[in-house]
Amino acid sequence: MDYQIARHNMVENQVRANKVTDPLVIAAMEEVPRELFLPESKRGIAYTDEDIAIGNGRYAIEPMVIARLMQIGEIAQTDVALIVGAGYGYASALVSRVAETVVAVESDPVIAQAAEKIMQQNNYDNVIVVEGDAVTGYAKQSPYNIIMFDGAVAEVPQAILAQLAEGGRLLAVVREEGKVGIARLYEREHGVIGHRDLFDAYVPYLPGFEPIESFVF
């Protein structure tokens, strides 16, 4: 399979076709090989417009959603970014082509170790992979100019919102159980965090960020 041709077709037919025009985002999507961030058995479907199961309840979310979130985030080359629930690191690698530094926090130790190996072998030198509880983010390196969730959440934890820098942007697909998710942009201005809804996106939940079950008596 010619992955380079498949990647170019993905950019043309999935990314550009969904209103992504930012040249830095387009360049990152053209450059970063999604197949490297998938289990070997899934590489043949790397450029389909769907979420791909990568094991242990985890998914690589579809590239179009990542591209749209990156564009809306208006990532600058001086930004420090946090990717929450980084998986094998595809979104982290994409953001690293635009931002100065990326901290990728991943709860699953096996996946985190694999992501770190992929980054080292492919010279993503400005990505720091951290094994830790993604639900708490990674306050040690905060504040962040950009925070992005690599999967859907029932709600954005306050502990992670608190890690957003002044003027920072947080991007997440927020999804109620059984419903289509809403891509949402949070911004901190003058110490106050507000948000606005952007577009519909059905994205699988990140483990640990699912809706809390309520009991009816």
Side-chain angles (χ1 to χ4, degrees), residues 82-97:
L82 173 68
I83 307 299
V84 180
Y88 287 110
Y90 177 61
S92 304
L94 288 169
V95 173
S96 79
R97 302 299 84 179

Side-chain angles (χ1 to χ4, degrees), residues 22-102:
D22 186 314
L24 294 178
V25 176
I26 294 291
M29 301 298 292
E30 287 273 16
E31 177 186 346
V32 176
R34 192 183 189 213
E35 69 274 10
L36 295 183
F37 300 89
L38 295 173
E40 193 167 346
S41 62
K42 300 294 179 71
R43 290 181 178 178
I45 57 171
Y47 296 103
T48 56
D49 57 344
E50 60 185 37
D51 309 301
I52 298 174
I54 59 175
N56 206 15
R58 301 302 305 279
Y59 289 82
I61 67 175
E62 61 180 300
M64 178 272 290
V65 173
I66 299 173
R68 292 190 72 179
L69 292 176
M70 287 177 64
Q71 175 167 270
I72 291 161
E74 297 182 344
I75 304 169
Q77 293 177 329
T78 55
D79 282 348
V80 177
L82 173 68
I83 307 299
V84 180
Y88 287 110
Y90 177 61
S92 304
L94 288 169
V95 173
S96 79
R97 302 299 84 179
V98 184
E100 181 177 43
T101 303
V102 176

Side-chain angles (χ1 to χ4, degrees), residues 160-182:
I160 295 179
L161 283 170
Q163 295 170 34
L164 196 60
E166 177 66 23
R169 290 84 65 207
L170 182 150
L171 299 139
V173 175
V174 181
R175 180 159 74 90
E176 295 181 30
E177 190 169 12
K179 295 186 178 180
V180 173
I182 302 292

